[in-house]
């Protein structure tokens, strides 16, 4: 059974850093594009970053220069390292996967989803 399990969320001060992880299982991880999405309270879910099987990456404008996506195929894990965090980064962060090498960040393009991990940026 396909599983994506996020971890690493929590409370962080503005300007701080936080690393998220997503453990994947039940599908051929090495061949899939994986991505991070987020959904703030009462907001639409939005794409944050994606990385494909070849290591190509995409960052949405709010993430570029502050967030770094990476993957560890040996351990079927995806990471999102976040720095310079702002209150507007507060959201539930979701890991997702798709059987395609293209770096899509639309929610409808992804078949597999995790349950999310909550990130709160506040003083």
């Amino acid at each position: 059974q396909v599983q994506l399990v996020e971890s690493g969320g929590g409370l962080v001060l503005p300007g701080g850093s936080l690393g998220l992880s997503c453990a994947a299982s039940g599908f051929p991880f090495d061949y899939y594009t994986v991505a991070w999405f987020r959904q703030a309270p009462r907001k639409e879910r939005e794409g944050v970053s994606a990385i494909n099987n070849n290591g190509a990456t995409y960052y949405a404008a709010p993430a570029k220069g502050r967030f770094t996506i990476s993957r560890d195929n040996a351990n079927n894990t995806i990471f999102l390292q976040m720095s310079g965090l702002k209150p507007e980064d507060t959201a539930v962060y979701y890991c997702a996967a798709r059987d395609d090498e293209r770096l899509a960040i639309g929610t409808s393009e992804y078949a597999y989803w995790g349950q999310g991990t909550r990130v709160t940026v506040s003083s």
Side-chain angles (χ1 to χ4, degrees):
Q1 187 169 1
V2 172
Q3 276 199 309
L4 293 165
V5 182
E6 302 93 336
S7 61
L11 176 64
V12 62
L13 294 171
S17 299
L18 196 65
L20 306 181
S21 298
C22 177
S25 61
F27 65 96
F29 178 85
D30 294 3
Y31 301 98
Y32 276 56
T33 293
V34 293
W36 289 94
F37 291 78
R38 68 186 184 186
Q39 188 165 17
R42 296 172 293 280
K43 300 288 187 179
E44 296 294 316
R45 190 174 300 177
E46 64 177 0
V48 176
S49 184
I51 182 168
N52 74 3
N53 60 303
N54 294 314
T57 58
Y58 173 84
Y59 296 93
K64 194 169 185 178
R66 298 189 299 128
F67 296 1
T68 301
I69 190 170
S70 61
R71 65 193 296 166
D72 181 354
N73 289 344
N75 293 293
N76 287 6
T77 305
I78 310 101
F79 303 98
L80 185 69
Q81 183 63 44
M82 305 182 290
S83 63
L85 285 164
K86 307 172 182 179
E88 51 263 46
D89 295 317
T90 295
V92 176
Y93 283 71
Y94 298 90
C95 181
R98 70 190 297 251
D99 185 17
D100 195 294
E101 68 179 8
R102 288 171 290 187
L103 297 170
I105 55 168
T107 58
S108 64
E109 304 295 329
Y110 287 80
Y112 305 139
W113 292 85
Q115 82 290 344
T117 185
R118 190 178 304 275
V119 173
T120 302
V121 185
S122 177
S123 59

